[in-house]
Amino acid sequence: MHKPLSKVSQMARRGFLGLAGVAALSDSLLSRKRVVRALLAKDSLAENTGSSAGSSRGLPPLKITDVRVIVTCPDRNYVLVKILTSEPGLYGVGDATLNGRELAVAADLEQHIPPLLIGRDPEEIEDTWQYLYRGPYWRGGPIQMTALAGIDLALWDIKGKRANMPVYQLLGGRTRTGALAYTHASGGDFAEVEDVARRAMKRGFKCVRAQVAIPGLEGTYGTPGNKTPEAAAGRVANMAGLPHTEVFEPTPYLRVVPRLFEYLRAKLGPEVELLHDCHEKLDPIQAARLAHDLEPYHLFFLEDCLRPEYKESFRLIREHSTTPLAMGELFNSLWDCVPLIKEQLIDYIRCDLGHIGGITAARKVAALAELFQVRTAWHGPGDIGPPTHAANVHVDISIANFGIQEMVFFPDVTREVISGGPEFKDGYMNVSDLPGLGCDVNEEAAKKYPYRRAYLPTARRKDGSVQDW
Ligand code: KDG
Ligand code: MG
């Protein structure tokens, strides 16, 4: 509806042409005049009268009236966004948590974004996404894209509540009864990993990600290592305000990991699906060797082998192995996904909905991936909040090319502040039929757990040089 008028509206927005000027347009432009006004109103707090989208469905016009940002630390730091509307009691809840940079996202959400949103129609999700993404000119990056994801989730929540439908219905309805889930098994040695995996399988998991500490190294991603229990859990890790440093060397890592999977296959049998996360720490030839050496143990996938900058290097891994590959939790642009998907260099795209721009972004990634037979495996760690986990599952159960869903169980203290979110049963995740995303935030409870500065761990080689964690 905006296209024919883009020049006029841009001029008007820049102050070359005020509303009086618009009114003076020739007859042939009169029908466009109303649209110009709506555009000006949409992007201008002072003029905004709300849109007529709601009234076309017999509902009164709806406006965003406030954007609240809740920063809280019930076990970990979370940044939640609550968008209030002109309809009494109708609001949406989103998650905008970016581990280690929470306050930067909160500042964007508190300082820059509300004036752009207040007065807009919350139902115009795609237009709002485009406006917040392209509008600031300085687009993208993890901080802005996490803020945008928080807004996006809250808007989908509002749309669902207004339609009295769960979000997955708005996305096209169910394609499956549940989302196949995986959990983490990590330990100091093979026996401990086996023990944790067995407990997960008893709980119903059919898929387990396995990580083991590497002898001689002081800690390895995803394992207890030399960390304090808090840091090992990745929680509010270092109250002194400095990141914990792990030591990584590729040679022992590349030797031990295939042995871990040889051990697990022998002990756990062929049925359980096994996964492993390299956490972006390998060089291309190292990743190719690992993927090759893991072939006999038939992994479900090998995750995030390479740094996100080196997409073309996945070709090398592909040339050397049939181990399925997953990539993408560090991507924060839709366009990061394109080369890997369209060249079929990976089998699973695992963006983080919370860092790539929410449901509006994820459905585009999923649609592109479907066309190239790539499945989804959205990132689902403990350091994104329940609304993002809920969004994951709403998308999972409504697309054709879902692959697998990473998940965590949130502790009671987190659930005291943020209620709802997906449930796990017999190996699968599901969401309730509550309207919207199905999550809520208790703002009073959130105040009991103020933000505590914490960093993710960092890593170095034995010679002291910086290494990807
Ligand atoms: O903030 C970083 C974590 O979300 C990440 O380390 C978790 O790699 C991760 C995973 O696969 O869950
Ligand atoms: Mg990972």
Side-chain angles (χ1 to χ4, degrees), residues 32-46:
R32 296 177 176 184
K33 196 177 81 176
R34 274 195 301 276
V35 187
V36 173
R37 277 218 187 99
L39 277 169
L40 290 169
K42 187 202 289 267
D43 293 348
S44 148
L45 169 60

Side-chain angles (χ1 to χ4, degrees), residues 99 209 221 277 279 303 329 350 379 381 383 406 456 469:
N99 196 340
R209 189 194 84 169
Y221 163 77
D277 187 355
H279 221 244
E303 173 185 334
E329 70 182 49
R350 50 178 286 98
H379 193 212
D383 57 7
E406 183 181 29
L456 285 164
W469 174 58

Side-chain angles (χ1 to χ4, degrees), residues 377-446:
W378 310 130
H379 193 212
D383 57 7
I384 53 172
T388 306
H389 285 264
N392 282 343
V393 178
H394 280 280
V395 176
D396 294 340
I397 62 171
S398 62
I399 58 176
N401 55 326
F402 163 74
I404 197 166
Q405 183 58 58
E406 183 181 29
M407 59 90 56
V408 290
F409 294 103
F410 286 98
D412 289 346
V413 63
T414 309
R415 300 188 72 94
E416 179 194 350
V417 175
I418 316 160
S419 55
E423 298 289 339
F424 172 83
K425 196 172 166 218
D426 296 336
Y428 292 84
M429 304 287 291
N430 235 311
V431 282
S432 72
D433 271 343
L434 282 174
L437 284 177
C439 291
D440 207 347
V441 53
N442 181 334
E443 291 179 73
E444 282 311 304

Side-chain angles (χ1 to χ4, degrees), residues 33 151 155 212 220 264 405:
K33 196 177 81 176
I151 300 293
L155 295 182
V212 73
T220 311
L264 291 176
Q405 183 58 58

Side-chain angles (χ1 to χ4, degrees), residues 166-311:
V167 167
Y168 75 82
Q169 289 290 8
L170 303 178
L171 298 175
R174 261 188 199 278
T175 52
R176 52 185 42 82
T177 52
L180 182 68
Y182 75 88
T183 188
H184 300 173
S186 42
D189 57 29
F190 294 177
E192 193 184 352
V193 181
E194 179 196 348
D195 186 47
V196 181
R198 280 192 192 283
R199 275 188 269 140
M201 290 159 71
K202 236 185 189 154
R203 204 169 177 173
F205 282 98
K206 296 160 191 359
C207 313
V208 179
R209 189 194 84 169
Q211 311 286 137
V212 73
I214 308 298
L217 302 186
E218 297 154 36
T220 311
Y221 163 77
T223 67
N226 64 348
K227 300 186 228 25
T228 62
E230 264 195 333
R235 292 184 179 134
V236 177
N238 193 323
M239 292 307 118
L242 290 174
H244 174 87
T245 301
E246 298 183 351
V247 176
F248 178 77
E249 285 295 324
T251 303
Y253 176 80
L254 293 175
R255 195 174 54 237
V256 169
V257 172
R259 287 192 201 150
L260 168 70
F261 284 93
E262 180 184 23
Y263 174 95
L264 291 176
R265 268 286 168 246
K267 295 283 184 181
L268 302 176
E271 291 300 324
V272 63
E273 298 284 7
L274 297 173
L275 305 86
H276 181 72
D277 187 355
C278 300
H279 221 244
E280 303 94 5
K281 58 166 113 287
L282 297 178
D283 288 344
I285 199 67
Q286 296 164 348
R289 177 180 142 196
L290 182 62
H292 175 265
D293 290 353
L294 287 170
E295 264 178 29
Y297 317 115
H298 299 138
L299 265 59
F300 188 93
F301 66 52
L302 184 61
E303 173 185 334
D304 287 359
C305 290
L306 305 178
R307 290 187 248 164
E309 295 86 356
Y310 295 102
K311 298 168 190 74

